[in-house]
Every structure is written in structure tokens, then in C-alpha cells.
Amino acid sequence: MSTQPLKFVTLLGSLRKGSYNAMIARTLPKLAPEGVTIEALPSIGSLPLYDADIQQEEGFPADIEAIAEQIRQADGVIIVTPEYNYSVPGGLKNAIDWISRLPGQPLSGKPVLIQTSSMGPIGGARCQYHLRQILVFLDAMVMNRPEFMGGVIQNKVDEQIGEVIEPATLDFLTGQLTAFADYTRRVALK
Ligand code: FMN
């Protein structure tokens, strides 16, 4: 397997300041394997609701252009998100809808890793499968396994530090990032 350096970007599905998913995204750079850097994409919080009239009359919002450009430059995208009402949070779906209308569709062919976490016991599993379905239409290369579903995530973080601290979760995320780096390099060879 090549050891070509890789850059991943994180797309966060929660907007709240104390977000547990933000804590996961914040922890990931420290767990990345050698040669892999991980950076956060700009927040999706300022995006207007997708409206084809805005797109035609005003063009794409500057924030979506910035997010899309960083996705184009990245080797892979890590979506870190909670589950809302058994599905994908509206803000994240809205961001994906905007991204999907850009020329060249930046998620097409892009390696994607999904990480869901919630306060419930099954860690956003239902959101995860809805998100996978959406990404089929966008022709993203979503890694199948290992899957990370962070259940009862509030017990696995240190809210003061704002990061994940539970050893088993840290180990799992480390292994998953290594698997995603291998997967991304394999996809890039095709
Ligand atoms: N938790 C679940 O496990 N399943 C759900 O379907 C679910 N629906 C939610 C819907 C809304 C609108 C909100 C605000 C929360 C919901 N939750 C659900 C609880 C979230 O898991 C919890 O709020 C979590 O902390 C959100 O992630 P964050 O900390 O990254 O913001």
C-alpha cells in the first residue's frame, strides 16, 4: 500500500456549541495515522435553505463555494453528525443539497467516511443508513466498514476539554481512520 500523504476534511452535522459530534471531529486530527492530516470544513450554519431561485439569481452562497473547494482539494471527507428524528439533521441535508448542485459535483467519486453519534444507545445508526442512501445518488465512495456509531456519546467525552476520552472509543476511531486512509489510497488507484 502506498504511503502517499492524505488530507481529509470533516463536515459537521451539528450546529450547537456544546456538540458531542464537534468533540469527535475535534479529536480526530490527533488520532490520524502518519501522513494523514484532518481539517474542519467551515460551519454549515450560515447556509440559506436551498432554493433554486437563489442559486439562479444570486449564485451559490460564498460559504458553500468555500466548503466545496475544500472538498475538491481533499482526498476524503469525514461526515460527523448526530441523528435527528431517526434521520439526517436538516442542516446537513441542506448543505449536501447545495453541494450537489455545484458544477462538477464535488462529492462525486470522493471517498467518504460517515461517523454518527447520539445520546441514544444505537449512536445514530438510522441516520447513518439514510445518509448512505443520499450519497449513493451523489456517487460518493462511502467506506462500508468499519462503521462508527457512537452510542451514549455523552459518557465518552470530557466536556471540559471538549474531546473524546473513553479509551475503547479512541481505539476504535484510530483503527477506523487507518482503514479510511487505506480505503482512500485504494480508491485513488482506480
Ligand atoms: N437522538 C437519537 O439517538 N435519535 C434521534 O432520532 C434523535 N433525534 C433528535 C432530534 C432532534 C431535533 C434533537 C435536537 C435531538 C435528537 N436526538 C436524537 C438527541 C441527540 O442524539 C442529541 O441531542 C445529541 O447530543 C445531538 O448531537 P450533538 O451533541 O452533536 O449536537
Side-chain angles (χ1 to χ4, degrees):
M1 183 68 61
S2 107
T3 51
Q4 155 219 351
L6 296 173
K7 184 165 103 178
F8 297 147
V9 289
T10 51
L11 178 59
L12 180 61
S14 174
L15 305 183
R16 73 184 189 95
K17 283 197 282 294
S19 162
Y20 297 120
N21 285 277
M23 294 181 199
I24 292 170
R26 206 176 290 130
T27 307
L28 295 180
K30 296 173 188 165
L31 308 180
E34 201 180 331
V36 174
T37 55
I38 302 178
E39 292 172 11
L41 287 170
S43 168
I44 60 173
S46 65
L47 299 176
L49 287 179
Y50 178 78
D51 180 339
D53 291 339
I54 298 180
Q55 182 190 328
Q56 276 180 2
E57 289 159 21
E58 301 169 30
F60 288 90
D63 284 358
I64 207 68
E65 294 277 15
I67 289 170
E69 187 50 29
Q70 289 185 49
I71 290 175
R72 286 190 197 97
Q73 300 294 327
D75 298 293
V77 178
I78 305 173
I79 301 179
V80 187
T81 185
E83 172 176 279
Y84 280 180
N85 297 314
Y86 283 18
S87 190
V88 180
L92 176 60
K93 179 64 164 58
N94 184 52
I96 292 172
D97 290 343
W98 274 112
I99 291 167
S100 74
R101 305 313 292 174
L102 278 160
Q105 210 274 88
L107 286 169
S108 177
K110 187 69 67 177
V112 172
L113 176 64
I114 300 173
Q115 296 181 337
T116 55
S117 291
S118 76
M119 295 176 73
I122 65 171
R126 292 155 294 215
C127 165
Q128 191 151 146
Y129 287 109
H130 285 186
L131 194 48
R132 280 180 186 275
Q133 185 180 341
I134 291 163
L135 291 165
V136 167
F137 182 58
L138 300 190
D139 206 19
M141 305 295 285
V142 181
M143 188 173 83
N144 288 330
R145 295 172 60 196
E147 300 172 307
F148 177 71
M149 293 155 184
V152 202
I153 194 67
Q154 65 277 19
N155 294 345
K156 298 172 179 167
V157 299
D158 181 322
E159 301 207 20
Q160 301 304 316
I161 305 171
E163 292 183 12
V164 178
I165 55 157
E166 202 250 336
T169 303
L170 290 170
D171 280 354
F172 190 91
L173 290 171
T174 301
Q176 195 200 33
L177 288 175
T178 300
F180 187 53
D182 292 346
Y183 173 81
T184 299
R185 290 182 176 118
R186 282 203 309 274
V187 168
L189 291 177
K190 292 193 173 127

